[in-house]
Amino acid sequence: MAELSRVSATIVDRRTARDCDAVAIASANIGPLAAVQTMVAFAPRAPIMVEGDSADHLFRIMTGVVKVHRALADGRCQITGFLFPGDLLGLAPEAVHRHGADAVGPVILSRFPRKKVEQLVDVSPLVARLLLRLAYDELNAAHEQMLLLGRKTAPEKVASFLIAMARRTGSDTLDLPMTRAEIADYLGLTIETVSRTLTQLRKAGLLRIYRHQIQILDRAEMGDLSEGN
Amino acid sequence: MAELSRVSATIVDRRTARDCDAVAIASANIGPLAAVQTMVAFAPRAPIMVEGDSADHLFRIMTGVVKVHRALADGRCQITGFLFPGDLLGLAPEAVHRHGADAVGPVILSRFPRKKVEQLVDVSPLVARLLLRLAYDELNAAHEQMLLLGRKTAPEKVASFLIAMARRTGSDTLDLPMTRAEIADYLGLTIETVSRTLTQLRKAGLLRIYRHQIQILDRAEMGDLSEGN
DNA sequence: CGATCTGTTGAAGTGAGTCAATAGTGGTGG
DNA sequence: CCACCACTATTGACTCACTTCAACAGATCG
């Protein structure tokens, strides 16, 4: 793990109020776990978990965004999810990880020993319920993404992605932390198709784009597109 | 729910020894739940759950195969998974189902009230662990399928599917219960592409095909193909 | 024994990928 | 501080894997 020994002050200061809120909310949920956590920071693009790593820690995202992915032998990559402040990483009960996880931008995580978490599940039905709830939310998201990957067209995929991001942040003005390549690997497309589709949506008057800032102009139209209407 | 009042004897008798074994194994796992179960039977193609149904029961597949799916407004469908004897259905803790489930062939399920299950989670850490384990297994399968849907070619998809089915049954001779249309909706392809790809694999000497019976002749080659080598 | 559903095969079309050139951007060091 | 360099994004021309449309062949079932 490419772990940074010290957290740069500038990295922390750049975080938005929204991130802090999300962390605060998640802290309330995690309850008894708070006692045994350690902080860890990662530089942009640093690998947090590698496929095959032994899985002996649970992470919670404090600031920044993490991508979780699987790859084929020849390098083709599918990003299975983006994790945001408050989300958990490394819950799967396997001995070794079946997926990799990288920092998208600068990331700060809190880390718990997995054994402690498992003990808590046995002791506290509240923790068990929380983890079950989170697992099923993830499963639901995964199934939704399977529908996207298997059956949606490129414009529908991009629209779905932007709408989902807007729903998460609660704003129609997005500041995407990920590159076009990462969006492509998330949507099962190529960078070129993502780029072309974005300009196509812009020319149709649905978006305004300046690099990673994207503003959704016609939310209704975008919503219809994302659902295949 | 299109529920049959009586289970036809012929349906039951047609089940294989393998199915019965799977059920026996699953019964051992489910432990305390066994006391509150009811049996329900469904005819081939009968809907078991409809998107939007209230989710107040948990099912366990006793015999037969169930497909779980999501659809877009215009009818495009993605099958998110096939469930086999021993598998659970309807665990998600939402008030209403986000997915539909249909019987593929004749199906017998055992049904539990959801409230009872939730009570058990609170009382028994063993049940909590079991459900968590199952949820993460499903999540892992979903992520693997996302890699397939987003990044694999048609031959790789079909090979992956057949290898996975062979792994599940423990035999290289498969008797697929699902139609080409269902395979297509599971792999994000069309019926025609599934059909063409199967004949292509057959002509390459990797398969032998007679309708729903498929025999994997070259397991190594098929495995390589499924992993993108 | 016809009607209907499922599966196969062929021909033609197309959405997204590939290859390639160019234009922006951001970080680094002289 | 700015000039360079490497990286990211956009755009165009072309290709191709998969889809679509269509015809037909087997199964299955009343």
Side-chain angles (χ1 to χ4, degrees):
Chain A
M1 287 202 305
E3 189 173 313
L4 297 177
S5 54
R6 290 172 53 82
V7 179
S8 141
T10 58
I11 289 177
V12 174
D13 291 341
R14 248 188 267 150
R15 295 295 97 204
T16 64
R18 192 181 322 287
D19 285 333
C20 296
D21 290 344
V23 171
I25 290 161
S27 297
N29 282 341
I30 218 76
L33 279 174
V36 290
Q37 65 185 17
T38 317
M39 291 307 210
V40 199
F42 293 88
R45 282 145 215 238
I48 294 167
M49 284 169 23
V50 178
E51 240 172 299
D53 265 7
S54 77
D56 30 39
H57 288 283
L58 168 66
F59 299 93
R60 189 163 94 252
I61 322 295
M62 304 303 288
T63 67
V65 177
V66 172
K67 62 172 170 177
V68 182
H69 50 85
R70 287 181 186 226
L72 292 170
D74 63 1
R76 276 175 287 172
C77 172
Q78 178 65 43
I79 293 179
T80 53
F82 291 108
L83 300 179
F84 297 86
D87 291 341
L88 299 181
L89 169 65
L91 266 171
E94 300 133 4
V96 296
H97 290 297
R98 291 279 190 75
H99 51 261
D102 298 347
V104 170
V107 164
I108 302 175
L109 306 173
S110 69
R111 193 175 69 183
F112 317 90
R114 259 273 294 278
K115 283 198 172 176
K116 297 272 182 186
V117 179
E118 280 169 20
Q119 284 167 17
L120 268 171
V121 172
D122 285 343
V123 171
S124 157
L126 224 75
V127 172
R129 270 179 175 251
L130 170 64
L131 295 188
L132 259 174
R133 165 106 237 159
L134 292 174
Y136 280 110
D137 286 349
E138 267 194 79
L139 196 55
N140 187 53
H143 286 165
E144 198 60 44
Q145 194 70 356
M146 283 169 69
L147 176 60
L148 178 147
L149 290 168
R151 289 301 180 212
K152 289 187 184 177
T153 65
E156 289 165 356
K157 285 178 175 183
V158 172
S160 300
F161 172 67
L162 294 176
I163 289 286
M165 289 295 293
R167 204 183 333 258
R168 177 176 272 276
T169 61
S171 160
D172 280 358
T173 304
L174 305 172
D175 193 353
L176 301 177
M178 63 287 285
T179 66
R180 300 288 190 265
E182 287 164 336
I183 298 173
D185 280 341
Y186 183 58
L187 300 179
L189 299 170
T190 60
I191 1 176
E192 294 94 327
T193 301
V194 170
S195 185
R196 269 189 264 270
T197 305
L198 282 171
T199 41
Q200 182 187 322
L201 294 175
R202 176 175 58 73
K203 284 181 180 167
L206 300 181
L207 297 179
R208 187 168 302 171
I209 303 175
Y210 176 70
R211 283 205 49 84
H212 288 204
Q213 269 91 305
I214 292 183
Q215 188 187 357
I216 297 173
L217 294 175
D218 191 337
R219 195 148 217 248
E221 192 76 19
M222 287 284 287
D224 284 353
L225 185 56
S226 74
E227 285 158 26
N229 298 320
Chain B
M1 287 202 302
E3 189 171 315
L4 297 177
S5 54
R6 290 174 53 84
V7 179
S8 140
T10 58
I11 289 177
V12 175
D13 291 341
R14 249 190 264 152
R15 297 294 95 204
T16 64
R18 194 182 322 286
D19 285 331
C20 296
D21 290 343
V23 170
I25 290 162
S27 297
N29 283 341
I30 218 76
L33 279 174
V36 290
Q37 65 185 17
T38 317
M39 291 308 211
V40 198
F42 293 88
R45 281 149 215 234
I48 295 167
M49 284 171 19
V50 178
E51 241 172 297
D53 266 8
S54 76
D56 31 38
H57 288 284
L58 168 66
F59 300 93
R60 188 162 94 253
I61 322 296
M62 305 303 288
T63 66
V65 177
V66 173
K67 61 173 171 177
V68 182
H69 50 84
R70 286 180 186 225
L72 292 170
D74 62 2
R76 277 174 287 172
C77 170
Q78 178 65 43
I79 293 180
T80 52
F82 291 108
L83 300 178
F84 297 86
D87 292 340
L88 298 181
L89 170 66
L91 265 170
E94 298 133 5
V96 297
H97 291 297
R98 293 278 191 73
H99 52 261
D102 297 347
V104 170
V107 164
I108 302 175
L109 306 173
S110 69
R111 192 175 68 180
F112 317 89
R114 260 274 293 279
K115 283 197 172 178
K116 296 273 182 188
V117 178
E118 280 168 20
Q119 284 166 17
L120 266 171
V121 171
D122 285 343
V123 171
S124 157
L126 225 75
V127 171
R129 270 177 177 252
L130 169 65
L131 295 187
L132 260 174
R133 164 107 238 158
L134 291 175
Y136 279 110
D137 286 349
E138 265 195 80
L139 195 54
N140 187 54
H143 286 165
E144 198 61 46
Q145 194 70 357
M146 285 169 69
L147 176 59
L148 178 147
L149 290 169
R151 289 301 181 212
K152 289 186 184 177
T153 64
E156 288 165 356
K157 285 178 175 181
V158 172
S160 300
F161 171 69
L162 294 177
I163 289 285
M165 291 294 292
R167 204 183 334 258
R168 177 175 272 277
T169 60
S171 159
D172 281 357
T173 304
L174 305 172
D175 193 352
L176 300 177
M178 64 287 285
T179 66
R180 299 288 189 264
E182 288 163 336
I183 298 173
D185 281 340
Y186 183 57
L187 300 180
L189 298 170
T190 59
I191 0 176
E192 294 94 328
T193 301
V194 170
S195 183
R196 269 189 262 269
T197 304
L198 282 170
T199 39
Q200 182 187 323
L201 293 175
R202 176 176 58 73
K203 286 182 179 168
L206 301 181
L207 297 179
R208 186 169 301 172
I209 304 175
Y210 176 68
R211 279 193 65 75
H212 287 206
Q213 268 93 307
I214 293 183
Q215 187 186 358
I216 298 173
L217 294 175
D218 191 337
R219 198 158 212 234
E221 193 75 21
M222 286 285 286
D224 284 353
L225 184 56
S226 73
E227 287 157 25
N229 299 318

